Amino acid sequence: MSNALFLLGCPESPVQTAIALYLANKLKRDSIDVTVAGTRSAIALLKVSDPEGNYVSKTVDLDSCIENLAEKKADFDLCFVFVRNDAGISYLSTLSSISDAKLFAIVFGSDADAFASMIDFECEKIVYKTGHNPVPLKKRIDQVMAWDA
Amino acid sequence: MGCIEQMKYEVILKNTSFKECREYVKKNFKEFYQVKPGYRMFDVYLIGVPPVLIGVDGDDVIFPYTKPCYGTFLLRIRGEAEIESLRKGEVL
């Protein structure tokens, strides 16, 4: 079974949790094991929305995740970094340096295009300028990911 | 990154960007070092966009510290051992 990491940023935008659960469901159906790293609030939002772990069964503290990747104690086949601010770009770039995973940037929020233009390293970009409605970003994800379904 | 927050630190820039931190270090400190994201200093792994610049001023290190909801801060912390490692080019 291959595996994937979701690296969640600040959960201020409701799009993040919705897209994380949507993507986790799709990957699970493709037998891809998903681990989610994020802030305490971002993880809490997921756990409240998915109390029985139907979509996300493994979560990890953001700092522990970075430490394990930097120390080469863990790695993933796929990594999806959620980007809606400058800190998201920093985390994405860090993942590019410390992980061998195929990297995806899910860029959203009001400055999505500006942040996407800062990504100048190898990475699949999924970009849509939205903060509240997850549907356009979901459509972009469906265009990029080759679902078996 | 709880350890950093429990140390005695000075915030030089707050709610800033990785780019502004890089430019500030380059402009204001004669001695600085370029490290990769994930470089370990104190007990944390630095988050950032390369090149990540760490300034040295006396016994202090000046470095970017990123929090997901608040952006990047440029901090100054006393770190003689960290300076020695930077000067030796050690990757901790």
Side-chain angles (χ1 to χ4, degrees):
Chain A
M1 178 187 277
S2 56
N3 59 12
L5 172 70
F6 291 4
L7 203 149
L8 303 184
C10 176
E12 192 178 352
S13 165
V15 162
Q16 177 171 267
T17 304
I19 292 296
L21 288 173
Y22 175 75
L23 190 53
N25 179 55
K26 287 285 193 182
L27 294 175
K28 189 176 179 182
R29 286 173 60 180
D30 282 350
S31 300
I32 296 172
D33 192 35
V34 174
T35 298
V36 179
T39 63
R40 193 184 303 173
S41 298
I43 296 294
L45 278 162
L46 272 188
K47 285 187 171 177
V48 168
S49 304
D50 179 26
E52 294 182 9
N54 289 315
Y55 306 109
V56 174
S57 55
K58 294 177 194 165
T59 59
V60 62
D61 168 71
L62 193 53
D63 296 334
S64 302
C65 177
I66 296 295
E67 178 179 343
N68 287 335
L69 290 169
E71 294 287 345
K72 302 293 178 198
K73 291 177 185 169
D75 208 348
F76 296 86
D77 301 305
L78 309 171
C79 179
F80 298 83
V81 180
F82 288 69
V83 177
R84 63 164 288 278
N85 59 14
D86 188 84
I89 294 289
S90 291
Y91 275 96
L92 176 69
S93 184
T94 301
L95 262 292
S96 173
S97 286
I98 63 177
S99 169
D100 293 325
K102 179 173 171 53
L103 194 58
F104 296 82
I106 300 178
V107 190
F108 56 101
S110 56
D111 298 320
D113 294 333
F115 287 122
S117 71
M118 294 179 185
I119 302 168
D120 58 2
F121 45 87
E122 192 175 332
C123 173
E124 186 80 59
K125 299 182 202 176
I126 302 167
V127 184
Y128 201 91
K129 189 176 173 178
T130 182
H132 294 93
N133 182 0
V135 175
L137 194 55
K138 169 193 166 296
K139 287 180 180 171
R140 287 287 160 92
I141 287 171
D142 288 340
Q143 287 165 4
V144 170
M145 306 298 292
W147 307 117
D148 291 335
Chain B
M1 296 193 181
C3 176
I4 290 276
E5 289 162 24
Q6 287 162 18
M7 296 176 80
K8 189 177 177 184
Y9 61 84
E10 176 194 344
V11 177
I12 297 176
L13 299 175
K14 63 179 178 180
N15 301 329
T16 185
S17 69
F18 59 83
K19 194 176 174 187
E20 285 167 335
C21 285
R22 183 191 299 155
E23 286 166 1
Y24 187 94
V25 169
K26 197 181 273 186
K27 187 178 173 186
N28 291 281
F29 301 100
K30 288 180 184 168
E31 183 179 359
F32 57 82
Y33 298 89
Q34 196 170 300
V35 301
K36 290 180 180 175
Y39 179 80
R40 187 179 173 192
M41 207 167 65
F42 300 108
D43 72 338
V44 305
Y45 296 83
L46 297 188
I47 302 301
V49 176
V52 176
L53 296 190
I54 302 175
V56 171
D57 185 26
D59 292 335
D60 297 339
V61 285
I62 296 89
F63 63 97
Y65 174 62
T66 299
K67 299 190 77 167
C69 295
Y70 300 100
T72 300
F73 297 75
L74 189 65
L75 301 182
R76 173 193 285 267
I77 297 183
R78 187 178 180 124
E80 289 158 298
E82 284 70 25
I83 292 170
E84 195 179 331
S85 297
L86 286 166
R87 287 178 176 153
K88 286 180 181 170
E90 289 177 1
V91 177
L92 295 177

